[in-house]
Amino acid sequence: MSSQPLAHYRIKAATHASYNAGLDVFAHWMNEQGRSADSAQSVDEGLRDWAQELFEANFDRTGLQLVTNARCGWIHHNLRLKYDLVESAAALAGWGKLCPSIQRPPIPKLLVYVLTRHFVVQQKPEMAMLVALCFDSFLRISEPLALKVKHVTFTKGDRSGSQAALLLALTKRGMNQSVLVKLPQLNDMLRARVRSLGGDPEAKHFS
């Protein structure tokens, strides 16, 4: 049996290694600055200032992730710090807003075209729309499968050219997240799908 506390195993080994790497770089920076990490306040202020320095040196999101790893590492080793490292949390949140992550489709665009064409040829338009929707809105397969009529709204009502918005009950970002559908053709297909289901709010788009 391992002698490590159970809380040690709540994160994967690779994540633990990333935290430790961030902690090592942060410790080196603190030593260079002649600063100590003998209190929660000093750690918080150090992380905040380190993040500011890296941001002003034009580091991209790799720098943001490095500071985040160091902060998470401190919290991993002392859970009570979660409620003390507030200034560094605010600094990282600001960095994230200024340098948002870029979402990338899970599969190449050409493969999406091949799959949607295949389903159209097979006379399965719902499956073609499902594939296109996952690609367009970066959805996990479980998210569109749970969509009901009541989860699809249109910015200008049921009119041509109106953009569809999907209300997702649960995502990685939290509860009840709204996602816009970008492709005009897909907006038209969703509008037609809502009409074909007779407006029943509980009817599922894909079964």
Side-chain angles (χ1 to χ4, degrees):
M1 297 293 289
S2 172
S3 59
Q4 290 281 4
L6 289 175
H8 175 81
Y9 299 100
R10 74 186 186 279
I11 62 173
K12 297 178 180 179
T15 303
H16 191 264
S18 296
Y19 288 177
N20 284 339
L23 285 171
D24 288 343
V25 180
F26 177 56
H28 179 72
W29 181 84
M30 291 285 279
N31 286 334
E32 283 189 333
Q33 300 295 313
R35 301 170 69 157
S36 63
D38 55 0
S39 68
Q41 182 178 352
S42 62
V43 171
D44 191 30
E45 291 174 350
L47 288 167
R48 177 202 63 197
D49 295 345
W50 186 35
Q52 187 71 36
E53 180 178 297
L54 291 179
F55 175 76
E56 291 177 354
N58 294 319
F59 272 74
D60 57 15
R61 287 187 64 88
T62 56
L64 170 61
Q65 189 60 57
L66 183 64
V67 181
T68 299
N69 286 342
R71 183 177 181 276
C72 289
W74 274 98
I75 294 171
H76 176 66
H77 293 294
N78 187 343
L79 292 176
R80 292 183 178 85
L81 285 177
K82 179 179 180 180
Y83 304 102
D84 295 324
L85 305 184
V86 291
E87 291 193 32
S88 54
L92 292 172
W95 192 345
K97 289 287 186 181
L98 292 171
C99 301
S101 60
I102 300 174
Q103 288 184 306
R104 302 187 186 279
I107 55 177
K109 189 174 183 178
L110 180 60
L111 180 55
V112 175
Y113 172 78
V114 171
L115 288 172
T116 52
R117 178 175 172 78
H118 167 77
F119 287 124
V120 169
V121 171
Q122 295 293 318
Q123 296 185 345
K124 297 179 179 178
E126 290 83 6
M127 291 303 298
M129 184 166 62
L130 175 63
V131 172
L133 196 59
C134 286
F135 176 82
D136 177 85
S137 302
F138 305 103
L139 303 181
R140 293 174 291 175
I141 189 63
S142 61
E143 292 169 347
L145 288 176
L147 282 178
K148 297 180 180 180
V149 168
K150 66 182 180 181
H151 297 140
V152 180
T153 60
F154 296 93
T155 55
K156 298 179 182 178
D158 189 13
R159 287 187 290 172
S160 178
S162 181
Q163 189 174 22
L166 311 177
L167 182 61
L168 305 178
L170 178 63
T171 72
K172 291 182 178 179
R173 294 185 298 162
M175 304 287 290
N176 299 324
Q177 298 291 313
S178 182
V179 178
L180 290 175
V181 177
K182 295 177 283 295
L183 287 173
Q185 302 92 328
L186 200 49
N187 280 285
D188 294 338
M189 292 174 70
L190 275 171
R191 189 178 301 104
R193 181 64 176 162
V194 169
R195 290 171 180 169
S196 71
L197 292 171
D200 178 4
E202 295 299 322
K204 282 195 171 185
H205 285 275
F206 310 103
S207 57

